């Protein structure tokens, strides 16, 4: 949530900041602003709406500033207005600040600052911080010390960048709970909340850790912790190619990301399948495998789509390893004093690796001595760095706000983890080899499903005006029903619910009439006959039925109004295939409604606030 970019060097900072903000726009798109040092003054320009609006405003002004910071906002405190947009000024306009996160004690701090005579122009929590820093500057402290002292008083989370006309040779950046990286260039340095904003300029990055404050000059940077102790930071090399973060000819990132799943799934498995031993190779958890295999319990925790992947993981792990598994919403888990034992393994799943609830749940679990594994996409992200061990999903950057390719890669990695543990326990060589054979066939099968795109687009035409949708599945396909419903609601704003199909008669069946479309996940598996009975029940009440069924299923056509036929696989991997038509269906419905699928209203990609 909220994107931060900063530049200090010899070039004009504004185009660099605007380009970075555009790459970060998926983190928030309510308003955007820049603060630059120009002729010994701090100038701020802010606009409501997308970065392109700010960009047109800036192109009309001749600017030559070599130090600046920029922000794209996802509103927390205060509506998306120009006043509430970042950067925020101190009262004498010598200082401006951008912030990602939430200052939880802002009202107490504000009261105090009001008493001291500070004037506020926004409803944000952030403005408190800029005045607080100013109050320390007024006591004769330098900029770094003032920022540090202000942060000591702050409760909550922040990733911030500050510039001041009083010390124009630096940007101060600090982090607690909200991601921030420094990009190290040649006689120029960058700041960003995400490496994707930097990769056109440098591949050398420094990840800030919590409670670190950094002075960034054009030719060096100095890091300290909040207690004023010096810290040596390691420079990392990032390897993201530019075409991975551009649309590559597709109208939307979401469609590109759906379409690249044969490749992203292949990447998730690359070098990790050992056919002759019927086992997976996962270097990141190799040293912990005995402890994992001997755990008394596995707890998976995540949010949103990643939580749905966790539910599928529960089915996989319980079926093949016999270890009891629980799946928890991270937001609930962190606050309810969960019972965690030393012989438990906890798996935290997160595409971004920055989701505030997941990160906090992980920190809570860590205190209780259990083994902590991270399953993340973003390399170097907070969850990846703070876990004891983990597996990257290697799906490549996911920019569309609705998660698609990350979900299928999460499922693949969970299958690989399951296989590794199961072979340590009692899965036979032959069974392990069969799973590997099926895994290897998945990218080709996904490709065949993607070739149904036009057919699915046609079906979508008939549902543009639907007000509600029901998604039903059993067993492994119940989490897929949840994921299908989430995909539809977040990008098309159509109300949708996912249910285990058998639960329908315990309530949701009351909703069925000729206006209620129901999507059934009905592959040929052990519960096929039961799903067919549920389809009959909906049909008897005149509900419209879309069935996702197996290629060779000829009976389904007599029951469903629309059927989408897809290849078969083993039960454990079915969700990887079954979710693809649901992603395409949601995408086409949203596009036909004229909605912005990559940046749906009220959402942001990386949820770094509670
Ligand atoms: C849905 C979606 C969200 C995320 C959730 C967790 O399409 O993208 O529900 O899955 O916010 O995000 P991560 O996986 O980054 O922790």
């Amino acid at each position: 949530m909220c994107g931060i970019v900063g530049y200090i060097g010899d070039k004009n900072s504004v185009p660099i900041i605007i380009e970075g903000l555009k790459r970060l726009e998926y983190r928030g798109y309510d308003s955007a602003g820049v603060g630059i040092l120009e002729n010994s003054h701090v100038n701020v320009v802010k606009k409501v709406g997308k970065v392109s609006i700010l960009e047109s405003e800036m192109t009309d002004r001749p600017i030559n500033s070599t130090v600046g910071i920029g922000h794209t906002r996802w509103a927390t405190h205060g509506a998306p207005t120009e006043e509430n947009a970042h950067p925020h000024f101190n009262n004498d306009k010598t200082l401006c600040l951008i912030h990602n996160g939430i200052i939880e004690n802002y009202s107490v701090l504000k009261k105090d600052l009001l008493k001291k005579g500070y004037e506020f122009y926004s409803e944000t929590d952030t403005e408190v911080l800029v005045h607080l820093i100013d109050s320390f500057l007024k006591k004769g402290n330098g900029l770094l010390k003032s920022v540090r002292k202000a942060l000591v008083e702050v409760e909550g989370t922040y990733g911030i960048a500050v510039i001041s006309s009083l010390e124009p040779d630096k940007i101060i950046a600090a982090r607690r709970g909200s991601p921030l990286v420094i990009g190290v260039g040649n006689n120029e340095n960058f700041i960003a909340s995400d490496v994707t904003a930097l990769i056109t300029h440098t591949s050398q990055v420094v990840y800030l850790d919590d409670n670190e404050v950094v002075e960034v000059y054009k030719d060096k940077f100095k890091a300290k912790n909040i207690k004023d102790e010096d810290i040596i930071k390691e420079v990392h090399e990032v390897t993201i190619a530019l075409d991975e973060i551009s649309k590559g000819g597709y109208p939307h990132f979401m469609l590109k990301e759906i379409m690249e799943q044969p490749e992203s799934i292949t990447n998730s498995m690359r070098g990790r399948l050992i056919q002759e031993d019927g086992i997976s190779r996962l270097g990141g958890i190799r040293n912990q495998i005995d402890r994992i295999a001997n755990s008394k319990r596995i707890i998976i925790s995540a949010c949103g789509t990643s939580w749905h992947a966790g539910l599928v993981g529960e089915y996989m792990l319980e079926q093949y390893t016999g270890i009891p598994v629980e799946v928890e919403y991270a937001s609930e888990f962190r606050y309810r004093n969960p019972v965690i034992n030393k012989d438990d393994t906890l798996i935290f799943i997160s595409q971004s690796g920055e989701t505030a609830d997941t990160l906090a749940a992980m920190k809570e679990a860590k205190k209780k001595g259990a083994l902590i594994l991270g399953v993340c996409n973003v390399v170097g992200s907070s969850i990846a760095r703070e876990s004891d061990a983990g597996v990257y999903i290697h799906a490549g950057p996911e920019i569309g706000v609705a998660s698609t390719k990350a979900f299928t890669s999460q499922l693949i990695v969970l299958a690989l983890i399951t296989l590794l543990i199961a072979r340590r326990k009692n899965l036979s060589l032959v069974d392990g080899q069969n799973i590997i054979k099926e895994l290897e066939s998945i990218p080709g099968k996904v490709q065949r499903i993607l070739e149904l795109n036009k057919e699915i687009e046609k079906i979508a035409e008939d549902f543009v005006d639907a007000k509600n949708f029901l998604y039903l599945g059993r067993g492994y396909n119940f989490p897929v029903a949840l994921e299908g419903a989430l995909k539809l609601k977040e990008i098309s704003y159509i109300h949708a619910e996912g249910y285990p199909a058998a639960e329908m008669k315990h309530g949701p069946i009351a909703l069925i009439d000729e206006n209620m479309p129901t999507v059934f996940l009905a592959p040929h598996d052990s519960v096929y006959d039961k799903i067919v009975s549920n389809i009959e029940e909906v049909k008897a009440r005149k509900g419209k039925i879309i069935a996702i069924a197996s290629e060779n299923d000829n009976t389904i056509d007599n029951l469903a109004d629309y059927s989408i036929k897809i290849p078969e696989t083993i039960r454990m991997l079915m969700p990887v295939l079954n979710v693809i038509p649901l992603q395409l269906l949601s995408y086409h419905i949203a596009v036909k409604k004229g909605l912005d699928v990559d940046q749906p209203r009220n959402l942001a990609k990386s949820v770094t606030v509670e």
Side-chain angles (χ1 to χ4, degrees):
M1 311 219 136
C2 300
I4 286 179
V5 185
Y7 175 79
I8 182 161
D10 294 325
K11 297 180 190 143
N12 184 359
S13 63
V14 173
I16 295 170
I17 293 168
I18 297 281
E19 182 210 339
L21 289 181
K22 282 186 167 171
R23 295 204 194 286
L24 294 185
E25 205 163 25
Y26 67 90
R27 300 180 72 98
Y29 29 84
D30 293 333
S31 59
V34 291
I36 49 175
L37 284 170
E38 217 177 4
N39 308 324
S40 312
H41 286 96
V42 182
N43 287 332
V44 166
V45 182
K46 317 197 262 194
K47 285 280 152 201
V48 172
K50 300 216 166 180
V51 177
S52 55
I53 301 173
L54 176 72
E55 184 180 27
S56 351
E57 175 76 16
M58 298 303 284
T59 40
D60 293 343
R61 302 169 173 229
I63 296 164
N64 202 357
S65 157
T66 56
V67 184
I69 54 179
H71 187 266
T72 173
R73 178 171 186 247
W74 186 85
T76 57
H77 295 61
T81 60
E82 228 161 80
E83 293 73 32
N84 290 335
H86 300 211
H88 291 285
F89 265 133
N90 63 341
N91 285 160
D92 52 17
K93 301 200 170 174
T94 53
L95 183 70
C96 82
L97 172 144
I98 52 179
H99 167 225
N100 173 19
I102 293 182
I103 310 294
E104 285 165 4
N105 57 338
Y106 87 102
S107 54
V108 181
L109 295 171
K110 188 169 178 173
K111 249 188 232 155
D112 205 40
L113 289 161
L114 282 167
K115 267 194 228 147
K116 288 183 180 153
Y118 281 95
E119 286 173 27
F120 285 77
Y121 297 94
S122 78
E123 303 154 279
T124 65
D125 51 336
T126 304
E127 201 183 354
V128 164
L129 193 48
V130 78
H131 295 320
L132 194 57
I133 295 170
D134 183 84
S135 71
F136 287 106
L137 276 172
K138 294 274 180 323
K139 288 182 188 155
N141 297 296
L143 187 59
L144 176 71
K145 197 164 182 187
S146 301
V147 171
R148 217 171 27 74
K149 283 184 170 272
L151 293 177
V152 169
E153 298 200 4
V154 157
E155 285 164 25
T157 55
Y158 52 78
I160 58 164
V162 185
I163 54 169
S164 166
S165 55
L166 305 175
E167 296 185 37
D169 58 340
K170 69 188 71 154
I171 303 175
I172 308 282
R175 153 181 182 150
R176 188 203 289 157
S178 300
L180 215 54
V181 293
I182 299 169
V184 182
N186 193 3
N187 226 23
E188 58 183 2
N189 284 317
F190 307 82
I191 290 165
S193 41
D194 185 327
V195 289
T196 53
L198 307 177
I199 60 155
T200 49
H201 305 287
T202 179
S203 58
Q204 307 287 306
V205 303
V206 174
Y207 297 101
L208 296 197
D209 288 309
D210 280 353
N211 299 313
E212 290 181 351
V213 188
V214 190
E215 272 179 305
V216 183
Y217 298 84
K218 74 172 185 180
D219 53 355
K220 62 180 179 207
F221 65 88
K222 287 192 216 157
K224 282 183 181 288
N225 64 20
I226 208 146
K227 296 185 202 143
D228 203 22
E229 295 157 338
D230 292 336
I231 302 173
I232 307 293
K233 297 295 294 179
E234 206 183 320
V235 179
H236 297 261
E237 172 87 21
V238 287
T239 51
I240 298 175
L242 194 56
D243 62 349
E244 288 184 84
I245 54 164
S246 52
K247 283 189 198 152
Y250 285 97
H252 299 101
F253 278 110
M254 183 179 178
L255 186 60
K256 176 187 174 232
E257 286 158 8
I258 293 173
M259 290 298 175
E260 68 193 14
Q261 287 176 105
E263 200 186 322
S264 51
I265 289 170
T266 305
N267 289 339
S268 305
M269 297 191 288
R270 196 181 302 285
R272 290 172 163 178
L273 303 179
I274 312 173
Q275 173 63 35
E276 64 212 42
D277 297 333
I279 201 166
S280 52
R281 180 197 290 122
L282 298 169
I285 57 171
R286 188 181 42 213
N287 295 338
Q288 302 286 354
I289 189 61
D290 287 331
R291 189 165 166 201
I292 302 169
N294 291 324
S295 357
K296 294 272 178 305
R297 187 172 59 145
I298 294 177
I299 301 173
I300 302 177
S301 187
C303 303
T305 289
S306 299
W307 183 77
H308 296 155
L311 287 179
V312 178
E314 176 181 28
Y315 284 87
M316 290 177 179
L317 286 160
E318 289 200 340
Q319 181 186 350
Y320 286 96
T321 71
I323 303 173
V325 181
E326 289 166 25
V327 185
E328 302 264 4
Y329 280 118
S331 53
E332 290 298 312
F333 187 64
R334 61 182 287 197
Y335 284 119
R336 66 168 178 74
N337 195 18
V339 178
I340 300 172
N341 301 311
K342 290 205 169 41
D343 47 16
D344 289 336
T345 292
L346 283 95
I347 305 179
F348 292 90
I349 306 175
S350 175
Q351 186 286 127
S352 61
E354 301 294 350
T355 299
D357 284 321
T358 312
L359 188 55
M362 184 172 124
K363 287 180 177 165
E364 199 51 41
K366 222 173 167 179
K367 284 188 207 147
K368 304 197 174 176
L371 176 66
I372 308 293
L373 306 184
V375 172
C376 296
N377 191 29
V378 177
V379 174
S381 55
S382 304
I383 293 173
R385 285 182 299 136
E386 293 203 23
S387 45
D388 298 320
V391 185
Y392 282 118
I393 64 169
H394 293 313
E398 191 181 63
I399 312 280
V401 164
S403 186
T404 52
K405 64 174 183 173
F407 179 68
T408 46
S409 285
Q410 286 166 343
L411 299 183
I412 293 292
V413 162
L414 287 165
L416 297 180
I417 294 174
T418 302
L419 177 59
L420 185 57
I421 306 173
R423 289 283 288 125
R424 277 286 156 141
K425 299 193 81 133
N426 45 23
L427 187 76
S428 71
L429 171 66
V430 175
D431 287 343
Q433 287 175 328
N434 280 340
I435 292 176
I436 290 190
K437 215 167 114 220
E438 277 303 317
L439 279 163
E440 282 170 338
S441 75
I442 290 293
K445 290 178 180 172
V446 169
Q447 186 57 47
R448 277 162 53 202
I449 301 171
L450 292 172
E451 282 155 20
L452 303 175
N453 184 33
K454 283 268 164 275
E455 188 185 312
I456 296 171
E457 184 178 1
K458 189 107 200 38
I459 296 174
E461 267 167 30
D462 293 351
F463 295 98
V464 174
D465 297 322
K467 297 279 175 284
N468 299 287
F469 254 85
L470 202 54
Y471 286 73
L472 301 176
R474 282 173 181 254
Y476 275 101
N477 285 313
F478 158 52
V480 181
L482 295 179
E483 175 59 9
L486 177 64
K487 266 327 58 110
L488 186 72
K489 65 188 136 195
E490 65 186 334
I491 59 167
S492 74
Y493 318 144
I494 295 174
H495 168 245
E497 287 190 59
Y499 261 94
E503 276 293 304
M504 182 181 67
K505 54 191 171 301
H506 299 289
I509 198 164
L511 298 169
I512 306 287
D513 63 14
E514 62 279 14
N515 299 316
M516 175 64 117
T518 303
V519 179
F520 275 98
L521 293 149
H524 253 153
D525 62 9
S526 55
V527 288
Y528 177 75
D529 291 340
K530 299 198 182 304
I531 277 278
V532 167
S533 307
N534 297 135
I535 294 178
E536 298 274 17
E537 286 156 13
V538 171
K539 200 173 162 63
R541 288 159 182 88
K542 298 195 170 55
K544 284 257 174 327
I545 294 157
I546 303 169
I548 314 298
S550 302
E551 277 178 329
N552 54 2
D553 183 344
N554 297 321
T555 46
I556 203 89
D557 300 321
N558 303 325
L559 292 170
D561 299 279
Y562 306 83
S563 51
I564 301 169
K565 307 281 190 64
I566 66 168
E568 289 190 52
T569 183
I570 53 174
R571 278 166 62 211
M572 150 200 236
L573 298 176
M574 268 180 195
V576 181
L577 302 185
N578 288 338
V579 77
I580 311 273
L582 305 189
Q583 296 170 343
L584 284 169
L585 185 67
S586 309
Y587 171 78
H588 287 301
I589 292 177
V591 169
K592 287 181 193 306
K593 287 179 74 130
L595 300 172
D596 183 348
V597 295
D598 280 340
Q599 294 176 348
R601 71 180 179 206
N602 306 337
L603 292 176
K605 183 80 187 152
S606 181
V607 187
T608 53
V609 296
E610 271 192 60

